[in-house]
Amino acid sequence: QVQLVESGGGLVQSGGSLRLSCAASRLTFSDYTMGWFRQAPGKEREFVATVSWRGGVTFYANSATGRFTISRDNAKNTADLQMNSLKPEDTAVYYCAASRKYRAVSESEYPYWGPGTQVTVSS
């Protein structure tokens, strides 16, 4: 059974940075597009960023463009999300997910999900 586990969440002040990491196991990692999503309290889960199988193609939500960077290391089976210039509105549970579809941006395209990690940005 595919396992995805996020780490790196926490409390940070507005303007600060955090690096989230997703460790994957029990899958051929390089066969999967990796994505990051987030869900703020009282809101639906939303797309943040995605990276292609070999890391050559990335795509971001407007809210993440210019501040967040998604990357992956296929040798280590990890996918990271570097978040800079964090804002209080970035507060959410962040999830990593795996998909066999290229440039997947919809929740329905991702069959595998981690349990999530909390990110809280204080003002």
Side-chain angles (χ1 to χ4, degrees):
Q1 188 173 359
V2 173
Q3 284 193 335
L4 302 175
V5 180
E6 304 91 343
S7 62
L11 174 64
V12 64
Q13 289 189 334
S14 181
S17 298
L18 279 176
R19 188 176 184 91
L20 306 183
S21 187
C22 174
S25 59
R26 302 178 185 175
L27 77 169
T28 304
F29 187 69
S30 58
D31 285 350
Y32 287 81
T33 292
M34 296 301 296
W36 284 93
F37 289 75
R38 68 186 184 185
Q39 187 167 22
K43 295 187 177 181
E44 294 186 352
R45 189 155 54 185
E46 64 177 6
F47 167 77
V48 175
T50 184
V51 60
S52 60
W53 306 301
R54 296 193 178 110
V57 178
T58 58
F59 184 68
Y60 298 91
N62 288 340
S63 59
T65 299
R67 299 188 299 127
F68 295 3
T69 302
I70 189 171
S71 61
R72 66 187 296 157
D73 185 335
N74 285 351
K76 296 181 179 179
N77 284 11
T78 57
D80 290 355
L81 184 69
Q82 176 67 42
M83 304 187 295
N84 299 328
S85 302
L86 283 162
K87 306 173 183 179
E89 50 264 44
D90 294 318
T91 295
V93 177
Y94 282 72
Y95 300 89
C96 74
S99 172
R100 294 297 299 269
K101 293 190 175 184
Y102 176 73
R103 208 184 188 189
V105 299
S106 171
E107 279 191 67
S108 62
E109 296 176 297
Y110 287 86
Y112 304 114
W113 293 82
T117 186
Q118 176 70 47
V119 171
T120 303
V121 184
S122 63
S123 57

